[in-house]
Amino acid sequence: MNKVKVTDGIFYVGVDDETIDLFESQYEVPEGVSYNSYVIMDEKIAVMDTVDKRKTEEWMEKLQGVLEDRTPDYLIISHLEPDHASSIKILAEKYPAMQLVGNAKTFQMFGNFFQMDIEGRTVVVKEGDSLSLGKHELSFYMAPMVHWPEVMVEYEKTEKVLFSADGFGKFGALRMKESPAEAKLEDWACEARRYYFNIVGKYGAPVQTLLKKASGLDIQMICPLHGPVLKENLEYYIGKYQTWSSYEPEDKGILIAYASIHGNTKEAAYKLAEYIGEKEKVVLTDLSRQDMSEAIEDAFRYDRMVVAAPTYDGGMFPVMEDFLRHLKSKAYQKRKVGIIENGSWAPMAGKLMKGLLEEMKQIEVIEPVVTVTSALNEASTKAIEALAESLVK
Ligand code: FEO
């Protein structure tokens, strides 16, 4: 089996999962996902995280290929979420002399997941502690809530590598042959952004704290737990994380997120897009049919959004309510939002959408709120034109 080198002393032993239907049972991953794991080979050997139990066997084979007849001294546990930690037990049982390295929170949570005796096998690290492997030395930085409380990252100072846990992760299998994991810049942001906002989005402040810590380190390479190893133009990736974690829009543009029962609200959404025309970038998404995580990504990506939905059972059409509640839980903020409601006899959706938006921080509702009563007519078409004007002003 080929060993995949990240550097002379660091090897990639991660695995692709291309058959999972939904990551975390909610995110479509048409290109799969990778569970990354690395091994630092030195006088002492450190395994950097494990993989999802769906891929334990394949990972163990790769690991064995790198270890040959040596035994790992340490397993570094950056994150206990099962996509990275569910193979811990099998590794720990295979190598009873191997020590488990985590922080106080790691071991506080460890027993929730694993029924095993780790007495005398733990190395508890805290902020700034280091662990020498020989030529390599790992320093530990706590990253609580990026995006679980026990998360920590490691910096290897000889090769200047940051092991960034879920940070800088991306959906998509690596499909690597022999070269270390890498991807072109333009490929990276699309699925890294969807990953970020849907999984880490709520935790902008902890990500900012981590970025501040990272800014004090000389980082030449980032090894995340999902997606490619990042080696060049690191300022590009770090810049994206600065923008995303501060909830600033990344691009100028308008997302029109609509839900439509019989097509009339959809027509209103398309009419708005037509009025905006060439003046601004417009992205339309049908919340009933298109992927929710993509809609959430676009809501954060652009500086303006319009929500359009009918009234249903006296409330908001369910997929719109789901969308707005998702946005709220991901801390959507600092955006201008327009509203188009539809209702044949007692329109309520506008009031309810506005109410949910008002629960979010720094959301400015753009006037006029448009009411369509069933199908577009002259008055509602005019109101849509007025909304288009306000949006592009
Ligand atoms: Fe990739 Fe939070 O686990």
Side-chain angles (χ1 to χ4, degrees):
M1 182 176 289
N2 284 331
K3 294 182 188 180
V4 180
K5 272 190 175 186
V6 176
T7 68
D8 280 345
I10 302 175
F11 294 82
Y12 179 82
V13 291
V15 290
D16 282 344
D17 188 347
E18 300 195 66
T19 56
I20 191 166
D21 59 343
L22 293 171
F23 182 71
E24 290 189 358
S25 294
Q26 57 175 327
Y27 304 114
E28 287 181 16
V29 281
E31 299 298 322
V33 66
S34 71
Y35 313 121
N36 296 348
S37 167
Y38 307 87
V39 186
I40 306 176
M41 297 293 285
D42 205 322
E43 287 164 32
K44 300 269 189 189
I45 297 176
V47 177
M48 310 299 289
D49 294 286
T50 76
V51 300
D52 193 282
K53 64 177 180 301
R54 292 167 51 82
K55 292 285 169 179
T56 305
E57 209 171 307
E58 186 184 334
W59 169 71
M60 286 291 268
E61 266 178 41
K62 286 186 174 187
L63 181 57
Q64 209 62 60
V66 171
L67 293 173
E68 295 178 339
D69 53 1
R70 294 185 66 192
T71 296
D73 297 275
Y74 301 107
L75 170 65
I76 313 295
I77 306 169
S78 306
H79 186 14
L80 268 182
E81 192 163 6
D83 53 333
H84 309 294
S86 60
S87 302
I88 289 178
K89 192 171 179 194
I90 200 161
L91 187 73
E93 284 172 351
K94 183 170 170 129
Y95 297 109
M98 181 186 74
Q99 296 210 285
L100 308 179
V101 182
N103 54 67
K105 200 78 184 170
T106 316
F107 295 114
Q108 192 185 320
M109 291 168 63
F110 193 90
N112 298 348
F113 288 101
F114 305 105
Q115 310 296 306
M116 64 183 290
D117 182 10
I118 52 171
E119 179 86 32
R121 293 186 66 181
T122 61
V123 178
V124 183
V125 294
K126 55 183 183 341
E127 181 76 15
D129 279 359
S130 49
L131 179 71
S132 174
L133 304 172
K135 283 198 226 71
H136 295 85
E137 186 178 307
L138 289 170
S139 302
F140 299 89
Y141 297 93
M142 302 302 117
M145 300 322 295
V146 183
H147 62 130
W148 274 24
E150 86 303 351
V151 173
M152 62 182 192
V153 302
E154 301 80 35
Y155 176 68
E156 199 295 299
K157 74 173 187 192
T158 308
E159 309 218 56
K160 303 184 179 4
V161 177
L162 179 72
F163 294 92
S164 59
D166 277 333
F168 301 97
K170 171 184 170 295
F171 292 129
L174 296 179
R175 296 182 186 130
M176 244 188 323
K177 295 280 187 284
E178 293 186 20
S179 60
E182 275 192 346
K184 289 184 191 135
L185 294 184
E186 62 269 26
D187 292 331
W188 185 83
C190 176
E191 285 292 74
R193 186 190 302 108
R194 185 166 72 95
Y195 177 90
Y196 176 84
F197 283 113
N198 284 279
I199 293 177
V200 192
K202 177 180 167 73
Y203 307 107
V207 173
Q208 289 267 301
T209 304
L210 180 60
L211 290 173
K212 205 169 275 178
K213 290 181 191 182
S215 69
L217 302 170
D218 177 9
I219 298 167
Q220 299 297 321
M221 192 183 297
I222 297 175
C223 292
L225 287 178
H226 301 285
V229 167
L230 307 172
K231 284 182 172 178
E232 283 158 18
N233 300 314
L234 294 186
E235 62 283 1
Y236 169 83
Y237 306 105
I238 292 168
K240 288 286 180 209
Y241 259 60
Q242 284 288 6
T243 304
W244 298 342
S245 60
S246 57
Y247 300 101
E248 294 299 334
E250 186 178 347
D251 291 316
K252 268 177 78 70
I254 300 162
L255 168 69
I256 304 175
Y258 67 88
S260 189
I261 306 171
H262 299 292
N264 287 311
T265 313
K266 176 179 178 178
E267 208 172 297
Y270 274 74
K271 179 59 77 183
L272 177 67
E274 186 189 311
Y275 279 135
I276 295 166
E278 303 286 299
K279 291 181 211 129
E280 295 271 2
K281 177 167 180 156
V282 175
V283 177
L284 282 142
T285 187
D286 177 350
L287 295 173
S288 296
R289 291 175 179 80
Q290 287 167 329
D291 182 43
M292 178 66 76
S293 68
E294 295 275 2
I296 288 164
E297 175 192 347
D298 281 340
F300 281 99
R301 178 174 185 171
Y302 297 108
D303 60 336
R304 283 150 294 165
M305 176 172 76
V306 175
V307 285
T311 305
Y312 190 80
D313 285 342
M316 204 188 310
F317 194 61
V319 288
M320 176 57 78
E321 182 161 3
D322 191 27
F323 175 60
L324 289 174
R325 291 207 183 279
H326 264 91
L327 285 183
K328 190 189 167 204
S329 76
K330 303 298 173 192
Y332 183 74
Q333 54 186 274
K334 299 185 184 173
R335 298 292 191 278
K336 292 181 176 176
V337 182
I339 295 172
I340 300 174
E341 67 167 347
N342 198 343
S344 293
W345 58 93
M348 275 300 290
K351 184 177 165 208
L352 294 169
M353 286 190 280
K354 196 172 182 191
L356 259 177
L357 287 162
E358 280 168 358
E359 291 176 26
M360 303 175 204
K361 283 190 215 159
Q362 296 180 60
I363 297 295
E364 182 190 331
V365 172
I366 299 178
E367 298 293 338
V369 171
V370 177
T371 299
V372 179
T373 44
S374 305
L376 281 177
N377 60 18
E378 201 183 325
S380 51
T381 304
K382 269 205 161 124
I384 286 176
E385 191 175 5
L387 176 60
E389 278 168 18
S390 299
L391 282 161
V392 299
K393 215 168 25 194

